[in-house]
């Protein structure tokens, strides 16, 4: 399926889409989860789509540079993201061809190849229709790298969350250790830096803040403060008649 053209998209109302982009482990998913909860919106973490394709590739032994096979995997995979079915720390469920892969998607093997896989234009375009369908379906907080620049450039609110690589690695390492992971902080930092380079240097949809995105550096902020700041930005948004888009 080819993505809808810009003309078709412009007729769809995306004012109640909140795009949250930024580098790995800037706190996007946690913040987006809490924000979606407060606003009564859906949460859609698009990184899970790329991770699901990476996992499918590992399982079917498709090489991370075989873009044709990867695009086929991305097109054929039935990926569903839905509210959490278990209380084990997950923010949402991810199903790949009916199987619950929420935690396997976080394996270091997936993390090691996902940036490479996400760099292939045919993979990205195969995952675009699903993302745009969700964006058109209603109030949603969408998390990714290119939501405000490519997927939903007319989103009602665009935020670019950032933090230093050291702070992001520290957070990710803490989270992994809590789940029983044995990776060292140094390894997590190295992986974070490699992913940053991969995500921001690719030709297609590189990690970049949209010109009209609001940048928030989260280094010295608590999660609650970040959520409160974005919530107040959302609550201040009004439609053409002056009515709030996100009434309290
Ligand atoms: O957010 P994350 O770490 O789960 O993302 C996994 C990978 O997918 C990461 O390398 C960036 C990539 N990604 C992307 O290229 N575009 C998106 N909209 C979301 C994620």
């Amino acid at each position: 399926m080819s993505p809808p053209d810009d003309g078709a998209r412009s007729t769809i109302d995306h004012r109640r889409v909140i795009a949250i982009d930024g580098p790995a482990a800037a706190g996007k998913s946690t913040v987006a989860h809490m924000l979606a909860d407060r606003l009564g919106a859906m949460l859609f973490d698009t990184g899970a789509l790329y991770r699901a394709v990476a996992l499918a590739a590992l399982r079917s032994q498709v090489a991370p540079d075989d873009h044709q096979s990867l695009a086929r995997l991305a097109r054929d995979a039935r990926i569903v993201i839905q509210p959490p079915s278990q209380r084990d720390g997950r923010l949402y469920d991810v199903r790949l061809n009916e199987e619950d892969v929420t935690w396997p998607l976080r394996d270091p093997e997936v993390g090691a190849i996902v940036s490479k896989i996400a760099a292939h234009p045919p993979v990205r375009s195969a995952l675009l229709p699903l993302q745009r369908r969700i964006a058109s379906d209603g109030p949603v907080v969408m998390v990714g790298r290119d939501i405000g620049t490519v997927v939903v450039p007319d989103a009602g609110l665009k935020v670019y969350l950032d933090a230093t690589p050291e702070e992001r690695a520290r957070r990710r390492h803490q989270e992994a250790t809590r789940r029983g992971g044995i990776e060292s902080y140094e390894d997590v930092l190295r992986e974070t830096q490699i992913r940053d380079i991969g995500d921001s240097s690719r030709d297609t949809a590189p990690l970049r803040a949209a010109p009209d995105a609001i940048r928030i550096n989260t280094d010295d902020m608590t999660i609650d403060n970040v959520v409160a700041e974005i919530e107040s930005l959302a609550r201040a948004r009004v439609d053409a008649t002056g009515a709030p888009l996100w009434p309290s």
Side-chain angles (χ1 to χ4, degrees):
M1 187 165 44
S2 56
D5 63 30
D6 284 345
R9 261 191 296 138
S10 63
T11 61
I12 300 169
D13 183 354
H14 287 141
R15 282 173 303 180
R16 295 209 331 145
V17 174
I18 298 181
I20 301 189
D21 291 305
K28 301 186 299 293
S29 303
T30 313
V31 164
H33 169 69
M34 291 170 67
L35 183 70
D37 216 39
R38 290 195 197 176
L39 296 174
M42 205 188 122
L43 166 66
F44 187 54
D45 187 349
T46 61
L49 300 178
Y50 294 94
R51 286 175 178 270
V53 176
L55 182 67
L58 284 171
R59 288 181 171 177
S60 43
Q61 296 182 328
V62 169
D65 57 0
D66 180 355
H67 56 89
Q68 274 177 353
S69 304
L70 290 168
R72 199 172 325 114
L73 277 182
R75 268 194 311 272
D76 295 347
R78 286 184 309 282
I79 308 170
V80 177
I81 302 182
Q82 55 193 29
S85 62
Q86 294 181 50
R87 301 179 65 159
D88 59 359
R90 64 180 65 193
L91 301 179
Y92 45 80
D93 278 11
V94 187
R95 301 195 162 267
L96 171 63
N97 303 325
E98 299 2 301
E99 180 192 344
D100 182 350
V101 294
T102 312
W103 289 124
L105 294 192
R106 301 286 143 195
D107 286 347
E109 293 78 18
V110 170
I113 62 164
V114 65
S115 184
K116 225 176 190 178
I117 285 176
H120 297 303
V123 172
R124 303 197 71 82
S125 38
L127 295 176
L128 207 45
L130 171 60
Q131 297 178 75
R132 289 199 172 142
R133 198 157 55 239
I134 304 268
S136 308
D137 273 356
V140 60
V141 179
M142 289 183 75
V143 182
R145 303 293 190 285
D146 61 340
I147 308 301
T149 50
V150 174
V151 180
V152 198
D154 57 343
L157 175 60
K158 302 181 197 176
V159 174
Y160 189 84
L161 275 197
D162 211 349
T164 56
E166 290 74 17
E167 174 60 18
R168 289 184 283 122
R170 192 190 63 74
R171 293 176 190 166
R172 187 149 273 186
H173 178 247
Q174 213 171 40
E175 179 198 312
T177 308
R178 213 174 34 240
R179 286 192 287 106
I182 51 161
E183 260 192 307
S184 68
Y185 165 79
E186 286 71 24
D187 283 348
V188 178
L189 177 60
R190 203 168 315 119
E191 195 194 303
T192 305
Q193 288 167 327
I194 292 170
R195 291 250 309 273
D196 279 359
I197 294 169
D199 291 345
S200 38
S201 64
R202 67 181 175 224
D203 292 335
T204 309
L207 171 64
R208 197 151 297 158
D212 52 348
I214 292 159
R215 287 173 172 266
I216 302 177
N217 185 303
T218 68
D219 268 2
D220 298 315
M221 289 176 82
T222 63
I223 298 274
D224 275 339
N225 287 342
V226 179
V227 176
E229 183 164 337
I230 305 175
E231 184 185 359
S232 71
L233 290 168
R235 300 272 186 216
R237 291 286 199 266
V238 292
D239 68 14
T241 70
L245 288 167
W246 302 95
S248 322

